[in-house]
């Protein structure tokens, strides 16, 4: 088992010294958020195979490390995602239909089809638009935190990134700036053991990723990322310290990418199924369900109702999103200049006329 902070024991009981003592309602909300992300992933991978969306990146195995962290943040805090965190946007209130419209890049997509599928943005939930290049979100997140300090806004920023991102120059710049200027940043590294086909052992010679944080002058904590309560507790505490002006924390959530990197990847070509099976046995959703059952908050009936409800919501969202058409052709020309210059107007008019023919 991973050498990291754990709260939920194998039998579903919790370590009393570490248990964040969630209410039943909050625990069920967390479970629902994880289940929604899991069911959504499976449905979207199928939708991609049917050609109804172009691309998808699932979060299978990382639900606790994503939803557990997102739920620990306050509504005024910011979330800066990597690209595997639709579950975080959804728990912040992003409507499923809006998420589906982004995947389809249609007229009702907030970013008008200009981003790759899975590059969600949810402005109302302080959920930043995704930047594709690995690691570039880290300086963005630190910059948001620095701006908050300058404006004396007592909020925190949670930034997600992968093990692969720790090899980028942006990781170093962001961690160093955060340490020196004590920005209110929670660095959440989802160490899912792989960066597409590169294993974490080829990513770093350090024995953990969390141990990099002290070199930048702040704490790094290693938690069992398959344990939603461990992730929740650690993130909640780190965000609390950040809001009080005590600076950044790095959390290394030890997880595993149970699925492919994306719908374009076949992990059977580079990793051993036996390794996957070992990690599958630590499934974060099954683990949390055990905890709910142990607390007397869950049973077969509630599980069946939840699955049905989520399945229906997704089906409804797909139907609604598929009703929207493609973005208007003129949107190719908008949003670059506040007032469109004459040459661009001319090009647009010519293009629209050409399309009309
Ligand atoms: C600068 C850059 N190089 C390469 C890629 C292609 N790429 C996309 S995701 C990825 C792996 C990232 O791995 P990790 O940070 O561990 O995140 P994970 O996918 O495991 O969640 C790579 C190499 C990219 N998007 N940007
Ligand atoms: Mg990774």
């Amino acid at each position: 088992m991973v050498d990291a902070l754990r709260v939920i024991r194998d039998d579903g009981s919790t370590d009393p010294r570490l248990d964040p003592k969630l209410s039943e309602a909050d625990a069920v909300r967390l479970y629902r958020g994880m289940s929604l992300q899991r069911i959504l992933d499976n449905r979207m991978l199928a939708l991609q195979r049917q050609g109804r969306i172009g691309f998808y990146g699932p979060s299978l195995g990382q639900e606790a490390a994503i939803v557990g962290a997102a739920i620990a943040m306050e509504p005024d805090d910011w979330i800066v995602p990597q690209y595997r965190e639709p579950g975080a946007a959804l728990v912040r209130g992003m409507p499923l239909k809006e998420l589906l419209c982004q995947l389809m890049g249609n007229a009702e997509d907030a970013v008008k089809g200009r981003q790759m599928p899975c590059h969600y943005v949810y402005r109302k939930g302080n959920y930043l638009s995704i930047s594709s290049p690995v690691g570039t979100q880290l300086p963005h997140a630190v910059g948001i935190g620095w701006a908050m300090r300058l404006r004396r806004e007592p909020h925190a920023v949670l930034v997600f990134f992968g093990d692969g991102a720790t090899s980028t120059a942006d990781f170093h710049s962001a961690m160093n700036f955060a340490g020196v200027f004590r920005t209110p940043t929670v660095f959440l590294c989802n160490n899912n053991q792989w960066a597409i086909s590169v294993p974490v052992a080829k990513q770093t010679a350090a024995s953990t990723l969390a141990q990099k944080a002290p070199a930048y002058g702040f704490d790094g904590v290693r938690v069992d990322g398959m344990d939603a309560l461990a992730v929740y507790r650690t993130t909640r505490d780190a965000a609390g310290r950040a809001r009080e002006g005590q600076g950044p924390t790095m959390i290394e959530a030890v997880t595993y990418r149970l699925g492919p990197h994306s719908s374009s990847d076949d992990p059977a070509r580079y990793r051993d199924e036996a390794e996957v099976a070992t990690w599958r046995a630590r499934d974060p959703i099954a683990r949390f369900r055990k905890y709910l059952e142990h607390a007397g908050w869950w049973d077969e009936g509630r599980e069946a109702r939840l699955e049905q409800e989520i399945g229906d919501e997704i089906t409804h969202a797909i139907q609604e999103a598929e009703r929207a058409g493609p973005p208007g052709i003129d949107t190719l020309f908008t949003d670059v200049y506040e007032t469109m210059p004459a040459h661009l107007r001319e090009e647009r008019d010519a293009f629209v006329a050409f399309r009309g023919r």
Side-chain angles (χ1 to χ4, degrees):
M1 196 47 210
V2 287
D3 166 26
L5 188 139
R6 281 184 92 190
V7 175
I8 307 175
R9 300 179 180 132
D10 290 340
D11 66 355
S13 66
T14 56
D15 182 334
R17 292 164 306 150
L18 297 172
D19 190 330
K21 305 254 181 320
L22 291 184
S23 66
E24 176 179 350
D26 285 343
V28 169
R29 186 168 156 253
L30 176 43
Y31 186 67
R32 190 187 202 286
M34 293 197 289
S35 303
L36 172 58
Q37 179 160 297
R38 171 74 54 94
I39 296 171
L40 181 75
D41 276 355
N42 290 324
R43 294 282 300 271
M44 293 305 107
L45 285 169
L47 216 62
Q48 194 276 338
R49 292 299 187 246
Q50 293 163 11
R52 289 156 77 187
I53 57 173
F55 174 87
Y56 192 74
S59 329
L60 304 167
Q62 295 176 223
E63 295 86 353
I66 294 166
V67 181
I71 271 190
M73 303 304 285
E74 298 290 337
D76 285 332
D77 294 332
W78 278 75
I79 294 188
V80 180
Q82 175 204 8
Y83 41 72
R84 269 187 219 292
E85 296 86 17
L90 293 168
V91 295
R92 281 179 92 83
M94 184 173 187
L96 263 175
K97 181 192 167 188
E98 203 173 314
L99 191 125
L100 262 297
C101 287
Q102 200 289 319
L103 287 169
M104 293 173 189
N106 63 28
E108 292 181 44
D109 169 16
V111 287
K112 305 177 188 174
R114 291 167 181 165
Q115 280 262 46
M116 265 179 81
C118 292
H119 288 48
Y120 317 102
V121 56
Y122 183 53
R123 210 167 173 159
K124 277 191 214 149
N126 289 354
Y127 184 95
L128 206 73
S129 179
I130 288 163
S131 50
S132 272
V134 171
T136 49
Q137 76 277 21
L138 291 157
H140 300 165
V142 169
I144 293 172
W146 179 233
M148 283 173 177
R149 286 211 54 193
L150 294 178
R151 293 177 175 178
R152 300 187 191 287
E153 291 172 0
H155 311 305
V157 182
L158 168 68
V159 57
F160 288 101
F161 58 106
D163 42 295
T166 63
S167 299
T168 65
D170 279 335
F171 171 74
H172 168 75
S173 308
M175 293 280 283
N176 193 53
F177 192 101
V180 172
F181 293 95
R182 307 200 62 71
T183 61
T185 317
V186 181
F187 289 93
L188 200 140
C189 179
N190 236 313
N191 178 4
N192 64 5
Q193 315 300 321
W194 291 91
I196 312 188
S197 56
V198 179
V200 71
K202 291 232 172 88
Q203 206 66 247
T204 180
S207 53
T208 75
L209 298 173
Q211 76 189 54
K212 291 172 186 267
Y216 298 100
F218 55 92
D219 281 347
V221 197
R222 202 165 197 245
V223 304
D224 180 347
M226 312 298 245
D227 177 342
L229 290 187
V231 175
Y232 172 85
R233 188 205 156 88
T234 316
T235 309
R236 183 200 63 187
D237 293 354
R241 287 193 301 274
R243 283 186 219 104
E244 285 163 14
Q246 294 178 50
T249 306
M250 175 175 167
I251 301 168
E252 175 189 357
V254 182
T255 62
Y256 194 79
R257 200 197 73 214
L258 288 175
H261 172 73
S262 73
S263 52
S264 310
D265 174 46
D266 174 12
R269 295 175 65 130
Y270 55 81
R271 71 182 187 186
D272 192 357
E273 180 49 40
E275 177 186 291
V276 186
T278 313
W279 285 89
R280 199 175 286 122
R282 301 172 193 162
D283 188 305
I285 297 183
R287 176 105 158 263
F288 201 79
R289 180 174 169 181
K290 241 183 184 170
Y291 151 76
L292 288 180
E293 284 169 354
H294 190 272
W297 294 336
W298 208 250
D299 56 30
E300 281 298 334
R302 290 193 74 169
E303 181 71 23
R305 280 197 297 281
L306 180 71
E307 273 178 32
Q308 178 77 39
E309 196 181 288
I310 290 175
D312 291 349
E313 278 173 27
I314 295 172
T315 302
H316 184 70
I318 296 171
Q319 288 165 351
E320 292 272 296
E322 284 187 332
R323 250 180 239 137
I329 207 76
D330 60 318
T331 61
L332 277 174
F333 296 86
T334 54
D335 300 328
V336 178
Y337 297 97
E338 192 171 87
T339 317
M340 199 181 285
H343 75 276
L344 206 56
R345 242 185 351 249
E346 210 175 287
E347 244 178 71
R348 180 200 56 193
D349 294 346
F351 189 59
V352 170
F354 171 77
R355 286 272 307 190
R357 271 185 266 131

